[in-house]
């Protein structure tokens, strides 16, 4: 995964800021972020840089890739300003992302976690949805995500 080192937040942040500005110009008042794998890192970085983000959802997180850029996942998690719902798979490091994981403990109040112990990393975005167990886990994760987003993003 050498490509991870080539995707730096310093190259993404201006695009994220432009997207946030566009959303606000179009009338958005409450913004959420959702990411899979390294997209979870982008969720954390976005929430750390602005209070405009009110909530985040991360499936099969890889927020620890911040280390590829000289950062540290716990320091980044401490900067996150919005509650996040973390949904790791069985192969995601439980010491970081499990129910008692060190990352979840650094996140703001209202953050929560649900492990999908039968699923592999990447199941929501590239899992075999023709497998009934994977399909059921995807449906469960999406239902959980929508509920959490609704809870933290008031409708206008």
């Amino acid at each position: 995964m050498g490509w991870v080192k080539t995707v730096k937040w310093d190259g993404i942040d201006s695009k994220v800021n432009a997207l946030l500005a566009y959303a606000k110009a179009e009338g958005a008042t409450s913004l959420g972020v959702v990411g899979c794998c390294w997209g979870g890192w982008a969720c954390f970085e976005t929430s750390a840089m602005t209070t405009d983000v009110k909530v985040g959802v991360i499936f099969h997180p890889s927020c620890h890739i911040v280390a590829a850029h000289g950062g540290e996942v716990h320091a980044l998690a401490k900067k996150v300003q919005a509650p996040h719902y973390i949904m790791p798979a069985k192969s995601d490091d439980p010491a970081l992302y499990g129910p008692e994981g060190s990352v979840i403990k650094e996140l703001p109040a209202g953050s929560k976690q649900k492990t999908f112990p039968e699923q592999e990393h990447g199941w929501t975005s590239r899992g075999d949805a023709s497998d009934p167990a994977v399909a059921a886990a995807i449906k469960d994760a999406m239902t959980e995500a929508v509920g959490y987003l609704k809870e933290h993003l008031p409708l206008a």
Side-chain angles (χ1 to χ4, degrees), residues 26-82:
E26 291 295 313
T29 57
S30 295
L31 302 168
V33 291
V34 178
C36 297
C37 188
W38 77 270
W41 164 65
C43 289
F44 272 15
E45 291 283 4
T46 303
S47 181
M49 77 177 189
T50 179
T51 57
D52 291 334
V53 171
K54 305 302 182 200
V55 63
V57 174
I58 303 172
F59 306 104
H60 35 89
S62 289
C63 305
H64 55 281
I65 68 165
V66 68
H69 306 289
E72 198 276 324
V73 68
H74 299 96
L76 177 57
K78 285 179 186 178
K79 294 178 185 175
V80 169
Q81 300 179 73

Side-chain angles (χ1 to χ4, degrees), residues 11-38:
I12 298 171
D13 63 342
S14 61
K15 294 174 185 171
V16 171
N17 278 322
L19 180 61
L20 294 171
Y22 174 79
K24 290 191 292 185
E26 291 295 313
T29 57
S30 295
L31 302 168
V33 291
V34 178
C36 297
C37 188
W38 77 270

Side-chain angles (χ1 to χ4, degrees), residues 85-146:
Y85 194 171
I86 309 295
M87 295 188 228
K90 68 180 176 184
S91 54
D92 295 316
D93 187 350
L96 292 176
Y97 304 115
E100 298 299 319
S102 57
V103 170
I104 195 79
K105 291 177 181 178
E106 300 294 348
L107 294 174
S111 295
K112 61 190 227 179
Q113 183 278 357
K114 179 177 181 174
T115 299
F116 286 78
E118 302 301 318
Q119 299 307 311
E120 296 294 337
H121 181 86
W123 96 95
T124 61
S125 55
R126 55 186 165 83
D128 180 3
S130 68
D131 177 329
V134 175
I138 292 169
K139 182 176 181 181
D140 184 20
M142 294 304 155
T143 300
E144 291 281 328
V146 168

